[in-house]
Amino acid sequence: MKLSVNAAAEELCVTAGAVSRQVKQLEGHFGVALTKRVGRGIALTAQGQASAAELRVAFDQLRRANQYLDSESSKTVISLRSYTTIATRWLIPKLARFQVEYPDIDVRLSMSSVWRNLGEYDAAIRLGGGWPEFSSIPLVPNTLTPVCSPQIAEKCRNDLDAIIKEPLLSTPHRPDDWNLWLKAAGVADPSLCKFMSFENSAVAYHMAINSQGIALAQTVLVAQELASGALECPIDLAIDRGLNTYHLVWEPQSEKSDSIRFLGEWLQER
C-alpha cells in the first residue's frame, strides 16, 4: 500500500519535511528502514508494517483514554455523606435512577451512623433543621408511627397500656422521638416505659420485625415493610415533626452549589 507524506503532514498539521525528518530520525534510532520507495511514492517495509500494527493498537488505547478523560472532566463530582438508615432504605435506589438520568453529575456516596461536619465532603444528609451556616433542602416527611411485627400487634392493637409495656426500640441519634409520641398519646410518665437503644434506626426496625419490641419509625423509611405486612402499626396515632427531618446540606459558597441543589430538588420530588 502506497503512503503519502503530504497526507500525513496535513493530518498532523505539520510540513511534509517535518514528517520526512521524523521518519529518518526513527530509522536512525532503531537502525532499520521503515519505508521504501515505490515509484513516485513510498510504502512501509516489513519492519515498518509490523511496527505500525503495534503502534496502531497503542494509539487506539491512548485515544480511548483521552476520550474517557474528556468525559470525566466534563462531569460534576459530588461527594456525599449520608446516615446509614436513610441511605440504604431510601436514597440508594433513587441515586441509581438519578445517575442514569443525569450522567454528567457523579454522586459518590459514603455512609455513617452519626453526623459529622462536612469536612472533605461536598454535601451531606443531616437530621434536624435550622442551620444558618448551610444551604439545605428537606428531603422527606418526618411522620413518626409505632411499628411492630404482626405477632406483637395482635397482642396490643389499639391498647395503649399494652403498647407501653412492650420494649420501645430507639436510637441515641433520635432521642426525643418516643417522648414526643408518648406525650401526644397522653402517657403521664414515660420514664416508666422500658426503652431499648440501638446504634441506628435500621437496627431498631430489624428488631421490630423480629418481635423484639415496638419501634417508632419515620413512615417513609418502613413503607416497604408496611406494604408487605412484615411490620404493622399497632395503633393509629402518628406525629408529624414537620421540618425536623432529613435534609441535604452543603456550603452555600460551594462551586458545586447549583448541582447539589438540583440533586436535592430532584430527590425531594421523588
Side-chain angles (χ1 to χ4, degrees), residues 18-38:
V19 172
S20 296
R21 285 194 297 272
Q22 187 62 53
V23 171
K24 288 186 180 300
Q25 287 177 4
L26 287 171
E27 290 177 330
H29 177 77
F30 290 109
V32 295
L34 299 175
T35 63
K36 61 184 177 180
R37 284 285 176 184
V38 178

Side-chain angles (χ1 to χ4, degrees), residues 24-88:
K24 288 186 180 300
Q25 287 177 4
L26 287 171
E27 290 177 330
H29 177 77
F30 290 109
V32 295
L34 299 175
T35 63
K36 61 184 177 180
R37 284 285 176 184
V38 178
R40 292 187 174 182
I42 60 172
L44 292 174
T45 63
Q47 292 92 337
Q49 290 176 358
S51 177
E54 295 295 327
L55 288 171
R56 191 172 294 113
V57 173
F59 284 134
D60 285 343
Q61 290 175 335
L62 284 171
R63 189 178 298 109
R64 286 194 296 271
N66 287 334
Q67 290 171 346
Y68 171 78
L69 290 175
D70 283 341
S71 66
E72 287 296 298
S73 66
S74 66
K75 288 184 178 182
T76 298
V77 177
I78 298 174
S79 56
L80 174 64
R81 178 190 287 276
S82 172
Y83 292 112
T84 304
T85 300
I86 191 170
T88 55

Side-chain angles (χ1 to χ4, degrees), residues 156-174:
C156 56
R157 196 177 307 279
N158 296 320
D159 185 343
L160 182 60
D161 289 336
I163 287 172
I164 62 176
K165 289 178 182 177
E166 294 290 332
L168 304 183
L169 313 179
S170 65
T171 169
H173 311 302
R174 304 189 64 139

Side-chain angles (χ1 to χ4, degrees), residues 23-236:
V23 171
K24 288 186 180 300
Q25 287 177 4
L26 287 171
E27 290 177 330
H29 177 77
F30 290 109
V32 295
L34 299 175
T35 63
K36 61 184 177 180
R37 284 285 176 184
V38 178
R40 292 187 174 182
I42 60 172
L44 292 174
T45 63
Q47 292 92 337
Q49 290 176 358
S51 177
E54 295 295 327
L55 288 171
R56 191 172 294 113
V57 173
F59 284 134
D60 285 343
Q61 290 175 335
L62 284 171
R63 189 178 298 109
R64 286 194 296 271
N66 287 334
Q67 290 171 346
Y68 171 78
L69 290 175
D70 283 341
S71 66
E72 287 296 298
S73 66
S74 66
K75 288 184 178 182
T76 298
V77 177
I78 298 174
S79 56
L80 174 64
R81 178 190 287 276
S82 172
Y83 292 112
T84 304
T85 300
I86 191 170
T88 55
R89 289 180 164 266
W90 181 83
L91 177 63
I92 290 174
K94 290 176 171 55
L95 275 187
R97 289 168 48 204
F98 181 83
Q99 300 285 211
V100 171
E101 292 183 29
Y102 302 100
D104 290 340
I105 301 178
D106 184 5
V107 183
R108 299 182 182 178
L109 178 64
S110 176
M111 291 182 286
S112 173
S113 295
V114 297
W115 159 256
R116 297 184 179 90
N117 290 331
L118 284 178
E120 73 272 23
Y121 292 91
D122 297 312
I125 292 180
R126 184 175 184 181
L127 180 64
W131 308 287
E133 72 274 25
F134 292 121
S135 296
S136 65
I137 292 178
L139 296 176
V140 291
N142 194 0
T143 304
L144 300 175
T145 308
V147 294
C148 59
S149 68
Q151 292 78 12
I152 289 185
E154 187 65 28
K155 292 193 301 178
C156 56
R157 196 177 307 279
N158 296 320
D159 185 343
L160 182 60
D161 289 336
I163 287 172
I164 62 176
K165 289 178 182 177
E166 294 290 332
L168 304 183
L169 313 179
S170 65
T171 169
H173 311 302
R174 304 189 64 139
D176 301 326
D177 287 356
W178 265 119
N179 284 335
L180 289 170
W181 187 89
L182 292 168
K183 181 179 178 181
V187 176
D189 189 359
S191 66
L192 298 178
C193 300
K194 179 183 177 182
F195 296 97
M196 294 178 63
S197 182
F198 299 94
E199 179 185 359
N200 56 52
S201 296
V203 177
Y205 301 159
H206 178 76
M207 298 299 285
I209 290 170
N210 286 280
S211 299
Q212 299 302 304
I214 301 174
L216 192 62
Q218 193 162 348
T219 311
V220 70
L221 300 184
V222 292
Q224 184 174 342
E225 287 80 4
L226 289 171
S228 69
L231 288 173
E232 294 184 10
C233 300
I235 190 170
D236 187 17

